[in-house]
Amino acid sequence: MRAASCTREAYARQIASCYRDSAIDFQFPIPNSQFPIPNSQFPIPNSQFPIPCLANSQFPIPNSQFPIPNSLFGQFAMNMLYPGRQKQLETLIEKLGLSKDASIKWHLVDLALTHASASAKANYEQLEFVGDAVVRLAASELLFEIYPDCTVGEFAAIRSILVSDRILAKIAASYGFDRYLIVSSSAAADKTGAVPRLADSLEALLAALYLSAQTLELIRPWLDGHFQRLAAEIRSDPARQNYKAALQELTQGKYKTLPKYTVEETGTVQGGEDRFTAKVSIQGELVAEGKGRSIKAAEQAAARSAFNKLVSY
């Protein structure tokens, strides 16, 4: 009996590797009654087991003796290998104000909270790529709804702050993401990487939730509150609006290049509103200029003028 258990554990580990390294849609645990496979049935030709990553496996089991849909494998493997992981993920989901009984692809949530230092293949990097678009969509929808009179420039400037690593990391930290993130001890010791690590894991989780529902219904109920409060703070203090980031995003998408700034000290009064003059060029052509009491303020003024000019074309 002990030998059989060890064999089943080895088999579960192989399935886990499968589900982590492939796009198979896993969701539910396999009841014990559906796993009655004696060791003697293992050495059956690989061609009879329809999971690509189990080619050349030492556990090739024919479909007729293991008639379990692919969608059942993932959670079973995760539960076999990480008995407490499902409970951890459910706790985090409930912290977000969501129900653990919602239609959630738990294997994606697990990946979203797995750092590349813990697994070179099964980590959040691909989900983070999707999440980068999801968080922008969520922020854009919210801004469009609550500030219908804002210009496109204001939308972009506010959104660039909302989706910045600094803000996303703060949101992730407020839910204690570091308690659920699987990361190597060496990476965890790197404090300089904490902010991007938290921001990336939040974006990955947003992707996991979006892909679970194919909408923002599992995201906006808890994320809107953070973004709405921050957006109000940013609008009350125009100096916080990041037109440089908005202009950079626009020029990268439209011209495949970055804006270049030159700054001169043109005023003589310390702290004067026109002490510095910044000029911004795109592809070698002067687009706009702006003035400010500091270099940063002057560049933001120039970026704002350039952004508004380009979006009006």
Side-chain angles (χ1 to χ4, degrees):
M1 190 58 134
R2 181 179 178 81
S5 298
C6 291
T7 305
R8 288 180 181 174
E9 181 181 352
Y11 183 69
R13 289 184 182 281
Q14 189 151 10
I15 296 175
S17 174
C18 217
Y19 112 83
R20 283 180 171 274
D21 295 341
S22 70
I24 297 173
D25 180 20
F26 304 112
Q27 292 187 43
F28 304 104
I30 302 172
N32 292 336
S33 60
Q34 291 180 301
F35 194 74
I37 306 166
N39 295 342
S40 60
Q41 293 179 330
F42 281 141
I44 296 173
N46 296 336
S47 60
Q48 297 183 23
F49 198 93
I51 299 182
C53 67
L54 287 184
N56 300 319
S57 165
Q58 59 180 312
F59 303 118
I61 302 161
N63 292 337
S64 60
Q65 294 179 329
F66 197 76
I68 302 170
N70 287 351
S71 62
L72 301 181
F73 280 117
Q75 197 62 52
F76 159 72
M78 189 167 73
N79 285 345
M80 284 286 288
L81 296 176
Y82 314 109
R85 183 61 167 165
Q86 178 68 24
K87 182 61 178 177
Q88 288 181 344
L89 300 181
E90 289 175 355
T91 298
L92 176 58
I93 289 300
E94 289 177 334
K95 279 187 177 181
L96 301 179
L98 303 175
S99 170
K100 66 180 181 181
D101 297 321
S103 181
I104 294 173
K105 295 185 177 181
W106 292 103
H107 69 288
L108 293 182
V109 177
D110 182 38
L111 282 180
L113 295 165
T114 303
H115 189 256
S117 64
S119 174
K121 292 184 178 180
N123 59 62
Y124 63 49
E125 290 181 346
Q126 290 184 326
L127 285 174
E128 186 265 328
F129 172 78
V130 176
D132 180 66
V134 174
V135 71
R136 290 171 182 273
L137 176 60
S140 298
E141 279 194 5
L142 175 67
L143 293 174
F144 181 78
E145 291 170 4
I146 63 177
Y147 300 124
D149 298 325
C150 270
T151 65
V152 173
E154 288 178 297
F155 279 152
I158 296 172
R159 186 184 65 182
S160 68
I161 297 177
L162 296 181
V163 303
S164 67
D165 278 2
R166 180 175 60 86
I167 295 300
L168 295 182
K170 284 185 176 180
I171 294 174
S174 72
Y175 292 105
F177 266 45
D178 54 345
R179 297 179 57 189
Y180 307 98
L181 183 62
I182 299 176
V183 60
S184 70
S185 56
S186 58
D190 177 17
K191 302 305 180 184
T192 61
V195 168
R197 194 162 57 239
L198 286 173
D200 289 349
S201 62
L202 176 59
E203 287 184 335
L205 179 63
L206 295 178
L209 295 176
Y210 179 82
L211 293 172
S212 294
Q214 296 296 314
T215 70
L216 296 174
E217 67 182 66
L218 297 175
I219 296 171
R220 291 197 55 188
W222 58 272
L223 189 60
D224 274 8
H226 296 284
F227 279 174
Q228 190 163 356
R229 176 180 55 79
L230 290 165
E233 292 176 3
I234 295 167
R235 291 199 80 213
S236 67
D237 181 8
R240 293 185 61 185
Q241 296 183 19
N242 193 349
Y243 276 92
K244 286 186 68 177
L247 179 62
Q248 177 174 311
E249 182 180 340
L250 177 65
T251 56
Q252 280 182 312
K254 194 171 183 179
Y255 303 104
K256 309 303 180 186
T257 190
L258 296 174
K260 293 185 177 180
Y261 298 86
T262 58
V263 183
E264 295 181 359
E265 189 172 3
T266 53
T268 58
V269 179
Q270 184 77 17
E273 291 293 335
D274 60 350
R275 183 180 179 189
F276 294 95
T277 299
K279 297 179 180 180
V280 58
S281 301
I282 298 173
Q283 295 180 329
E285 181 180 346
L286 178 64
V287 178
E289 63 178 59
K291 298 180 182 294
R293 64 178 63 195
S294 67
I295 293 176
K296 181 178 179 180
E299 288 181 341
Q300 283 288 351
R304 178 173 185 168
S305 178
F307 185 94
N308 290 333
K309 181 182 293 187
L310 292 175
V311 296
S312 65
Y313 283 166

